[in-house]
């Protein structure tokens, strides 16, 4: 073959290689939330979603949220907890673990929270800074700023790093239990790591108890303060970025793909991987905590990753502990809107659909509900926490519907040799317990404190309960 022909062949091969690489590594999309939300509706064949409830409107105004308990249960019958899909009663722990639990996980992954992809990239944990001259609540402690750098060699266009801080009491005679806490913004540290400083955390507005960090360190616990938005944004525009975008190579999700709640839980699980390398940590006593949307994420994390020993689920509301089938405060329609759909699998939009190629669907068509998600935590200790509307834990969160779900989850705890709430009423009629009344005898616990939209007011109760239950 002469030189011109060889040159042409070489150019053709180079061009083919470049085209293949371009196909393998497409440019990441830069969609708005509205564009991404509309794309998911089109994938599903949805032409009209019902609008979410207006939490600010007064009763009688257009689309006002319902706060009338007499109208709150349009679908009072929940999906069976201890019956398999083929109608077989689940009567043993073995049947739960081998049949019913996998069924429920598959349904939640398909229709609510999404599936985590296989062969996710590895995370390389690095200590960015160490701080030895630290006090928390007057107790000496150490802190380390951590970076969980995600391998992006398969798609270099997107970089992802998990921002977390490990805080441990300095003087311990044995490995410490640790609570991984979903945090809203990174902690602030002095530029000079040798500078002495205090890290107590912000006190709650209606609470005289010490901040949560101080309570935890005083009780001999360590803390991982995890910033979930460091690796997955809290909006629909971020779905082609972060860990979800990295795995999808910057392209839109499919209807079964994971949403932000599962992605945030993935990051917490990677923190647990790291803690397994630290001899100062009792890895059999690592818990997960979150408030509000991070309460939803904490429940999802605790339910799916059985390595977590205990869960502290605070003010999680709809999409967390509160029942999807309830018509009270925040609704499925709100969660399926462009403001919240990114927390869930795309398939969740179906249950707020008014018009589509598959017709109309409602929350009653969901194959699962939140009592079954709570049950996936069994028999591991699970503490459900709320505040009161007067101090900012709004009725929007549906405390009553959350209690109903917790009651309905109790039989799974009993089946697995643990203790549920001890509530004798059926979930349909079980009254909300008085504020500040402890239901802390079982592995499934409930306490509504008299504070606001926070977990600090229940922290001391959680710690006493958790230490007893984790023995």
């Amino acid at each position: 073959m002469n030189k011109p022909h060889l040159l042409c062949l070489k150019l053709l091969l180079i061009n083919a290689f470049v085209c293949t690489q371009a196909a393998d590594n497409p440019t990441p999309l830069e969609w708005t939330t509205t564009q991404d939300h509309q794309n998911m509706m089109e994938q599903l064949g949805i032409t009209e979603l019902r609008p979410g409830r207006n939490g600010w409107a007064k009763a009688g105004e257009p689309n006002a949220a319902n706060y009338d308990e007499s109208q709150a249960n349009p679908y009072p019958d929940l999906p069976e907890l201890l019956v398999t899909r083929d109608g077989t009663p689940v009567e043993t722990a073995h049947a739960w673990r081998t049949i019913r639990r996998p069924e429920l996980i598959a349904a939640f992954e398909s229709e609510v929270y999404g599936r985590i992809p296989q062969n996710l990239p590895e995370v390389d944990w690095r200590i960015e800074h160490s701080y030895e001259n630290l006090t928390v609540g007057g107790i000496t402690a150490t802190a380390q700023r951590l970076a969980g750098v995600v391998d992006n060699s398969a798609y270099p266009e997107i970089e992802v790093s998990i921002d977390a801080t490990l805080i441990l009491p300095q003087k311990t005679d044995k490995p410490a239990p640790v609570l991984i806490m979903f945090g809203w913004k990174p902690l602030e540290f002095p530029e000079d790591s040798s500078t002495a400083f205090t890290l107590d955390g912000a006190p709650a507005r209606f609470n005289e108890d010490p901040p949560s960090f101080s309570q935890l360190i005083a009780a001999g616990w360590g803390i991982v303060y995890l910033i979930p938005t460091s690796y997955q944004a809290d909006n629909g525009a971020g779905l082609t970025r972060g860990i979800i975008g990295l795995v999808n190579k910057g392209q839109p999700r499919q209807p079964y793909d994971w949403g932000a709640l599962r992605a945030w839980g993935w990051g917490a699980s990677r923190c647990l991987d790291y803690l397994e390398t630290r001899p100062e940590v009792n890895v059999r006593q690592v818990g997960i905590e979150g408030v509000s949307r991070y309460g939803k994420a904490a429940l999802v994390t605790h339910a799916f990753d059985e390595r977590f020993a205990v869960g502290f689920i605070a003010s999680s509301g709809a999409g967390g502990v509160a029942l999807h089938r309830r018509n009270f405060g925040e609704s499925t329609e709100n969660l399926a809107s462009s403001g919240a759909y990114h927390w869930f699998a795309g398939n969740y939009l179906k249950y707020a659909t008014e018009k589509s190629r598959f017709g109309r669907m409602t929350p009653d068509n969901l194959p699962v509900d939140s009592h079954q998600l709570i049950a996936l935590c069994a028999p591991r200790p699970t503490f459900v926490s709320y505040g009161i509307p007067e101090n900012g834990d709004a009725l929007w969160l549906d405390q009553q519907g959350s209690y109903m779900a917790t009651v309905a989850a109790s039989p799974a705890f009993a089946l697995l040799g643990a203790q549920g709430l001890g509530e004798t009423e059926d979930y349909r009629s079980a009254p909300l317990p008085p504020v500040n009344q402890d239901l802390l005898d079982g592995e499934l616990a409930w306490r509504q404190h008299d504070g606001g939209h926070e977990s600090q007011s229940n922290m001391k109760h959680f710690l006493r309960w958790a230490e007893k239950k984790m023995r």
Side-chain angles (χ1 to χ4, degrees):
M1 186 177 292
N2 58 34
K3 288 185 178 180
H5 285 120
L6 281 172
L7 180 60
C8 288
L9 180 60
K10 187 178 292 186
L11 289 172
L12 286 171
L13 290 171
I14 291 172
N15 187 56
F17 176 77
V18 170
C19 290
T20 300
Q21 290 296 102
D24 287 343
N25 289 328
T27 301
L29 292 176
E30 295 185 4
W31 277 356
T32 65
T33 292
T34 300
Q35 288 174 311
D36 188 87
H37 188 251
Q38 181 61 36
N39 173 266
M40 185 55 68
M41 288 177 61
E42 291 170 358
Q43 287 190 59
L44 293 166
I46 297 171
T47 54
E48 182 182 342
L49 291 171
R50 293 184 295 278
R53 297 288 187 168
N54 184 348
W56 300 103
K58 296 179 181 178
E61 293 181 358
N63 216 43
N66 173 58
Y67 295 114
D68 181 350
E69 192 59 41
S70 69
Q71 300 178 34
N73 296 300
Y75 316 113
D77 298 326
L78 298 179
E80 293 283 0
L81 176 61
L82 298 181
V83 178
T84 65
R85 288 180 60 188
D86 67 6
T88 304
V90 177
E91 297 176 337
T92 66
H94 179 74
W96 170 266
R97 293 192 176 102
T98 59
I99 302 173
R100 189 57 177 150
R101 178 179 166 82
E103 284 182 349
L104 291 173
I105 286 176
F108 276 112
E109 287 189 326
S110 170
E111 303 303 305
V112 186
Y113 300 110
R115 300 171 181 167
I116 291 183
Q118 295 182 344
N119 302 319
L120 279 161
E122 296 293 321
V123 177
D124 177 27
W125 284 99
R126 304 169 187 175
I127 299 174
E128 300 283 283
H129 298 284
S130 294
Y131 302 88
E132 302 293 333
N133 297 322
L134 169 66
T135 58
V136 180
I139 298 172
T140 56
T142 62
Q144 291 178 334
R145 292 294 303 271
L146 306 174
V149 180
V150 182
D151 177 12
N152 69 338
S153 57
Y155 190 68
E157 287 79 356
I158 293 177
E159 296 180 354
V160 180
S161 182
I162 302 170
D163 180 351
T165 301
L166 174 62
I167 308 166
L168 291 168
Q170 205 168 70
K171 297 180 180 179
T172 56
D173 56 0
K174 59 183 179 181
V178 169
L179 188 63
I180 298 177
M181 306 178 73
F182 286 117
W184 298 92
K185 60 181 182 179
L187 299 174
E188 294 184 4
F189 291 89
E191 291 185 8
D192 183 354
S193 59
S194 64
T195 301
F197 70 107
T198 299
L199 188 67
D200 289 336
R205 185 178 173 190
F206 300 99
N207 194 310
E208 295 181 356
D209 291 321
S212 292
F213 282 9
S214 300
Q215 294 187 55
L216 284 156
I217 294 296
W221 285 58
I223 302 151
V224 170
Y225 194 70
L226 171 63
I227 307 301
T229 52
S230 66
Y231 53 93
Q232 186 58 52
D234 188 12
N235 55 59
L239 290 171
T240 55
R241 294 294 193 277
I243 184 60
I244 294 176
L246 174 61
V247 174
N248 287 340
K249 297 188 174 182
Q251 303 308 297
R253 295 185 303 164
Q254 299 298 307
Y256 296 99
D257 284 349
W258 53 339
L261 295 178
R262 293 239 39 207
W264 294 339
W266 166 86
S269 293
R270 302 294 71 76
C271 287
L272 182 50
D273 293 344
Y274 174 73
L275 292 178
E276 290 175 345
T277 71
R278 297 294 297 256
E280 316 98 303
V281 173
N282 184 343
V283 294
R284 299 185 66 182
Q285 294 187 339
V286 175
I288 184 71
E289 181 269 357
V291 179
S292 195
R293 65 196 61 190
Y294 295 151
K296 308 181 205 297
L299 178 59
V300 169
T301 304
H302 191 39
F304 281 91
D305 190 339
E306 293 185 279
R307 296 178 300 161
F308 283 95
V310 63
F312 187 4
I313 317 302
S315 300
S316 63
V321 173
L323 292 168
H324 297 266
R325 282 168 169 74
R326 287 266 289 178
N327 173 30
F328 194 98
E330 190 172 22
S331 66
T332 293
E333 287 77 10
N334 291 98
L335 299 179
S337 74
S338 60
Y341 78 104
H342 61 278
W343 295 337
F344 303 93
N347 273 335
Y348 188 73
L349 272 65
K350 295 186 299 186
Y351 304 100
T353 294
E354 189 65 22
K355 297 178 182 178
S356 73
R357 66 187 177 203
F358 52 81
R360 182 179 188 271
M361 294 183 78
T362 73
D364 198 37
N365 296 115
L366 261 174
V368 287
D369 214 316
S370 57
H371 66 302
Q372 294 165 318
L373 185 68
I374 301 168
L376 290 177
C377 302
R380 293 164 294 140
T382 305
F383 188 111
V384 179
S385 169
Y386 277 92
I388 59 174
E390 295 86 343
N391 285 338
D393 215 39
L395 282 174
W396 181 253
L397 299 170
D398 191 11
Q399 291 86 351
Q400 175 65 46
S402 298
Y403 185 67
M404 292 168 66
T406 309
V407 171
S410 289
F413 283 78
L415 179 71
L416 298 177
Q419 184 177 337
L421 283 184
E423 172 64 69
T424 57
E425 291 277 350
D426 182 83
Y427 71 86
R428 299 173 186 85
S429 57
L432 192 66
V435 174
N436 291 328
Q437 177 174 311
D438 293 349
L439 274 71
L440 307 180
D441 291 337
E443 278 70 26
L444 182 57
W446 168 277
R447 193 175 191 278
Q448 185 180 12
H449 57 78
D450 58 5
H453 197 56
E454 35 84 7
S455 62
Q456 176 187 329
S457 297
N458 262 343
M459 183 60 73
K460 63 185 178 185
H461 304 282
F462 165 78
L463 287 169
R464 286 196 294 265
W465 167 85
E467 288 171 3
K468 178 181 177 182
K469 294 300 175 182
M470 288 196 303
R471 295 196 197 109

